[in-house]
Amino acid sequence: MGSDARRGRLVELLGPVVAAEGFDLEDVTVTPAGRRRLVRVVVDRDGGVSLDDVADVSQSVSKRLDEVDVLGGSAYVLEVTSPGVDRPLTEPRHWRRARGRLVKAELRDGTSVEGRVAEADETGVELDGARRIAYGELVRGRVQVEFNRRDAGLDDELDEGLDVDEDIADADDEG
């Protein structure tokens, strides 16, 4: 069985198992790893994926792979993971899950735009609350990594009542 056919068979086999756990099957890859194969299953859902979620899905997927001889009886290592930040945004659900994130979008006309995802639905995405782009105009998007972003909410709660400059000055006075 060729690698494309094997991947298709695995997607067909594991899709319902992953869906039964409440997740979307984003990708399945099989790569050689010495005498074994590495089977990587990428899952996602609205609200994200926790380590406990990964463990639950891993058990279900492992059980299903053991029931069916899709890997030809050879040994394998199973890795269940969530998509990384570098995953391209190609489906409406990807854009919806990127709400509030800064993205760079490649457009079919060869240009690109950058902005924060304000809204996303089944027809398109709205960047920065102003520009709406239909999915038909998009090639793909990528979440941009922001090292110094300050979200309202959690960061503000953690910093509430804390004046860093004042704390540093106090430490200098003591020393």
Side-chain angles (χ1 to χ4, degrees):
M1 183 184 309
S3 63
D4 287 342
R6 180 179 297 115
R7 182 189 179 283
R9 176 74 178 113
L10 283 168
V11 168
E12 181 181 305
L13 178 74
L14 299 178
V17 173
V18 170
E21 293 286 338
F23 295 88
D24 295 313
L25 179 61
E26 294 293 340
D27 196 16
V28 178
T29 58
V30 180
T31 54
R35 294 182 187 170
R36 300 173 184 219
R37 295 184 205 169
L38 173 63
V39 178
R40 180 172 289 127
V41 178
V42 182
V43 299
D44 201 7
R45 74 169 168 193
D46 291 355
V49 180
S50 72
L51 289 175
D52 289 338
D53 295 334
V54 166
D56 293 342
V57 173
S58 184
Q59 288 179 353
S60 298
V61 166
S62 179
K63 180 179 177 187
R64 186 66 180 134
L65 287 174
D66 290 345
E67 292 171 352
V68 179
D69 190 27
V70 71
L71 297 171
S74 63
Y76 66 90
V77 174
L78 176 63
E79 177 183 299
V80 176
T81 186
S82 61
V85 70
D86 61 340
R87 180 243 338 248
L89 307 174
T90 58
E91 301 286 332
R93 68 179 180 266
H94 300 160
W95 289 95
R96 185 179 67 245
R97 291 172 184 155
R99 187 168 179 239
R101 305 290 302 269
L102 182 65
V103 298
K104 184 173 185 178
E106 297 174 30
L107 303 178
R108 295 212 182 277
D109 66 6
T111 63
S112 64
V113 295
E114 190 170 288
R116 198 162 301 283
V117 177
E119 291 295 328
D121 57 28
E122 293 305 311
T123 62
V125 61
E126 186 176 313
L127 298 181
D128 293 325
R131 177 155 188 208
R132 177 137 181 103
I133 304 168
Y135 291 124
E137 298 176 59
L138 290 166
V139 175
R140 76 178 68 66
R142 291 232 185 246
V143 171
Q144 302 300 292
V145 177
E146 296 179 88
F147 292 106
N148 294 321
R149 179 174 180 206
R150 289 201 33 114
D151 286 1
L154 180 60
D155 288 341
D156 292 339
E157 289 174 24
L158 293 174
D159 293 341
E160 193 172 291
L162 175 66
D163 185 337
V164 175
D165 293 332
E166 188 177 297
D167 291 343
I168 292 171
D170 290 344
D172 287 342
D173 291 340
E174 293 172 9

